[in-house]
């Protein structure tokens, strides 16, 4: 592994282990112009040939609206992919490719893409080719997020997503009058699996087709490979935990790290650092911050699923309770109920968690257990401590001040904490403005 993925953050390292950042001088060195062969990292910088970006030669033009720039790149990629699908088969293009494109275009606020961008800028990446590569990687992250969400909705039996029917439900409804209803449902599930596969293929194609110097390309490929594997591993632990009712605190944290802390924050930050050819200190600081904030991001998502207004989240509240998802929130509540000998709370959790037919009254009773056992307050406090620790990691490396300030704002918003460890929570609408929940 190269120096860009710093020691303690290798792609093959056990994820979510404690990290230690070294303190260095806060004054960032000036970066030489592209092509001088004197990069901040361990290898020479190079400027690969490529097309002229739409925003010209000044990546700072993207800073004012990163999401808009990523959407422009993403829209062009989706148009090309749908046109290619049309050439293969019109029915395939209409039923699958066009749905994948619509789903991706109607996504959240591109939080992962913005982490890539601001990490690049915080590490001094200001060359047009680096900026263009960051926008393409941001678009690829949106596509892999589509894959994750579409597959998750099938696995979770979810009926809606983003205030609309889930993709498998939409396809089943389209063919409901074509014959046996069960066949329509089966087609919907199969279509969603294939749609997710298609989104993943498009994401991989986007990364593979991004022009990068060979050393940088290798680092990006290593990180991208790790991200995909971790995402799948985390989701499997989640599903296996549901099936076995495994709700230990350690297991809940590990699953949250794999499926969210790494995928949603740390790896996007590492990708931005890799594109900037960042040195070990900057990469280590960003990865350590991303791991802490990414975990806080998932814990916030667990709270939103239980306590948020469905009109804010775009999906029914209590899905994690009905599916029996092994969240940290549920693990804390169970541990507290057992340690205090609260048999009523223990029985309620055992008899309700994992029951798809749980009534609204039973969901309300579980919420009450989360409150009275102190589980909700414990998770809120852990989120605040994680965010505070993550932000302190950013102080340990030579990063550009203004982009680092943008990173701080994005991290606070994503995790639902306004500032220091003692701050009040951010309103739900502001949390959701940074992108979809970590738990997908």
């Amino acid at each position: 592994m190269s120096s860009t993925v710093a020691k303690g953050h290798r792609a093959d390292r056990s994820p979510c282990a404690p990290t230690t950042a070294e303190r260095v001088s806060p004054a960032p060195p000036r970066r030489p112009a592209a092509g001088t062969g004197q990069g901040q990292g361990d290898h020479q910088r190079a400027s690969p040939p490529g097309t002229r970006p739409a925003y010209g030669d000044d990546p700072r033009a993207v800073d004012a609206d990163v999401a808009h720039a990523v959407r422009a790149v993403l829209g062009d990629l989706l148009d090309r992919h749908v046109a290619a699908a049309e050439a293969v088969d019109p029915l395939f293009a209409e039923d699958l490719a066009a749905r994948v494109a619509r789903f991706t275009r109607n996504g959240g606020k591109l939080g992962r893409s913005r982490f890539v961008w601001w990490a690049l800028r915080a590490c001094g990446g200001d060359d047009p080719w680096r900026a263009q590569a960051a926008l393409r990687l941001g678009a690829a992250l949106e596509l892999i997020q589509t894959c994750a969400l579409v597959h998750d909705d099938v696995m979770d039996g979810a009926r809606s997503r983003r205030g609309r029917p889930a993709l498998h439900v939409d396809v089943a409804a389209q063919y409901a009058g074509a014959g046996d209803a069960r066949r329509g449902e089966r087609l919907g599930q199969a279509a969603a699996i294939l749609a997710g596969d298609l989104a993943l293929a498009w994401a991989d194609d986007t990364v593979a087709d991004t022009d990068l110097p060979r050393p940088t390309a290798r680092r990006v490929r290593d990180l991208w490979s790790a991200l995909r594997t971790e995402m799948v591993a985390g989701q499997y632990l989640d599903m296996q935990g549901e099936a076995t009712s495994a709700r230990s605190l350690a297991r809940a944290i590990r699953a949250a790290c794999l499926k969210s802390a790494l995928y949603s924050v740390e790896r996007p930050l590492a990708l931005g650092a890799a594109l900037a050819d960042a040195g070990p200190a900057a990469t280590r600081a960003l990865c350590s911050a991303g791991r802490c904030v990414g975990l806080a991001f998932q814990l916030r998502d667990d709270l939103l699923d239980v306590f948020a207004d469905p009109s804010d989240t775009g999906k029914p509240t209590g899905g994690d309770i009905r599916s029996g998802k092994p969240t940290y929130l549920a693990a804390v509540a169970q541990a507290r109920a057992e340690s205090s000998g609260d048999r009523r709370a223990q029985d309620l959790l055992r008899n309700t968690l994992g029951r798809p037919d749980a009534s609204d009254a039973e969901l309300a009773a579980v919420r009450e257990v989360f409150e009275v056992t102190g589980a909700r307050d414990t998770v809120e406090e852990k989120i605040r401590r994680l965010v505070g620790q993550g932000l302190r990691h950013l102080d340990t490396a030579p990063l550009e001040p203004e982009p680092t300030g943008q990173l701080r704002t994005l991290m606070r918003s994503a995790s639902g904490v306004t500032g220091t460890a003692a701050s009040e929570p951010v309103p739900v609408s502001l949390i959701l403005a940074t992108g979809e929940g970590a738990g997908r």
Side-chain angles (χ1 to χ4, degrees):
M1 180 64 67
S2 67
S3 63
T4 304
V5 183
K7 184 178 179 181
H9 294 281
R10 292 178 53 185
D12 60 351
R13 184 179 183 272
S14 296
C16 305
T19 56
T20 302
E22 64 183 17
R23 187 166 296 277
V24 297
S25 171
R30 298 306 302 169
R31 299 175 64 87
T36 62
Q38 298 178 0
Q40 188 174 342
D42 299 348
H43 57 275
Q44 291 188 341
R45 296 168 56 141
S47 298
T51 58
R52 181 183 177 89
Y55 51 83
D57 291 326
D58 187 4
R60 288 173 295 185
V62 176
D63 289 351
D65 195 343
V66 178
H68 176 77
V70 174
R71 284 197 180 96
V73 172
L74 181 61
D76 180 65
L77 289 169
L78 292 173
D79 288 344
R80 293 171 183 268
H81 284 305
V82 172
E86 177 73 26
V88 171
D89 183 83
L91 180 60
F92 160 67
E94 181 179 358
D95 279 10
L96 282 189
R99 274 190 167 93
V100 170
R102 284 196 300 271
F103 189 99
T104 307
R105 291 181 198 273
N106 295 329
K109 300 298 182 181
L110 291 78
R112 293 168 181 84
S113 304
R114 288 191 282 165
F115 278 126
V116 174
W117 179 261
W118 289 117
L120 169 77
R121 302 288 284 119
C123 293
D126 54 10
D127 305 298
W129 68 266
R130 296 181 196 273
Q132 182 68 6
L135 296 178
R136 287 181 59 85
L137 290 185
L141 284 170
E142 293 307 307
L143 284 164
I144 203 171
Q145 173 72 342
T146 291
C147 166
L149 293 175
V150 170
H151 282 172
D152 284 1
D153 286 344
V154 174
M155 288 184 277
D156 293 343
R159 305 293 298 175
S160 63
R161 170 70 65 178
R162 298 169 178 165
R164 303 179 180 88
L167 191 145
H168 66 283
V169 173
D170 191 40
V171 173
Q174 177 184 343
Y175 288 95
D180 190 324
R182 288 174 297 181
R183 289 186 178 181
E185 291 179 2
R186 181 180 175 86
L187 174 61
Q189 293 175 351
I193 293 170
L194 293 171
D197 291 346
L198 186 62
L200 178 59
W202 289 355
D204 286 345
D205 289 347
T206 300
V207 175
D209 292 342
T210 299
D211 287 332
L212 295 171
R214 184 171 297 174
T216 307
R218 176 61 184 271
R219 291 170 175 82
V220 167
R221 283 198 304 270
D222 286 347
L223 288 166
W224 186 255
S225 177
L227 178 150
R228 292 179 306 174
T229 303
E230 291 155 359
M231 181 183 72
V232 174
Q235 183 64 12
Y236 178 74
L237 290 183
D238 217 32
M239 298 300 297
Q240 197 268 357
E242 289 182 18
T244 61
S245 299
R247 296 192 183 91
S248 73
L249 293 169
R251 183 187 178 92
I253 288 295
R254 180 166 180 79
C257 281
L258 280 168
K259 78 172 187 176
S260 200
L262 296 173
Y263 161 65
S264 297
V265 186
E266 181 177 342
R267 294 307 187 191
L269 290 173
L271 285 168
L275 290 176
D277 292 336
T283 301
R284 184 162 47 247
L286 287 167
C287 288
S288 297
R291 187 165 300 183
C292 293
V293 174
L295 180 54
F297 185 24
Q298 176 60 54
L299 299 185
R300 176 63 63 194
D301 193 63
D302 294 343
L303 290 176
L304 290 174
D305 182 87
V306 175
F307 296 105
D309 188 328
S311 63
D312 288 329
T313 62
K315 59 181 181 179
T317 301
D320 288 354
I321 296 174
R322 287 192 168 109
S323 67
K325 199 169 291 294
T327 64
Y328 184 71
L329 176 66
V332 171
Q334 181 170 299
R336 292 285 180 82
E338 290 173 353
S339 65
S340 66
D342 188 339
R343 297 300 298 274
R344 175 185 174 276
Q346 293 178 56
D347 290 344
L348 183 63
L349 293 173
R350 182 173 58 253
N351 296 330
T352 308
L353 292 176
R355 270 188 45 220
D357 62 345
S359 67
D360 290 343
E362 288 170 322
L363 294 183
V366 171
R367 291 189 192 98
E368 182 182 1
V369 169
F370 289 162
E371 297 270 13
V372 299
T373 59
R376 182 179 186 178
D377 288 341
T378 297
V379 174
E380 287 281 9
E381 178 58 27
K382 189 171 185 67
I383 290 171
R384 286 191 287 268
R385 286 190 285 107
L386 283 167
V387 173
Q389 182 180 353
L391 295 177
R392 287 192 292 275
H393 279 302
L394 294 182
D395 296 329
T396 65
L399 300 172
E400 297 288 342
E402 187 173 345
T404 303
Q406 295 289 343
L407 270 181
R408 289 176 177 277
T409 299
L410 184 57
M411 288 177 172
R412 290 170 182 144
S413 228
S415 56
V417 175
T418 55
T420 64
S423 297
E424 292 298 319
V426 172
V428 171
S429 58
L430 202 54
I431 299 170
L432 296 176
T434 66
E436 290 188 270
R440 304 191 290 272

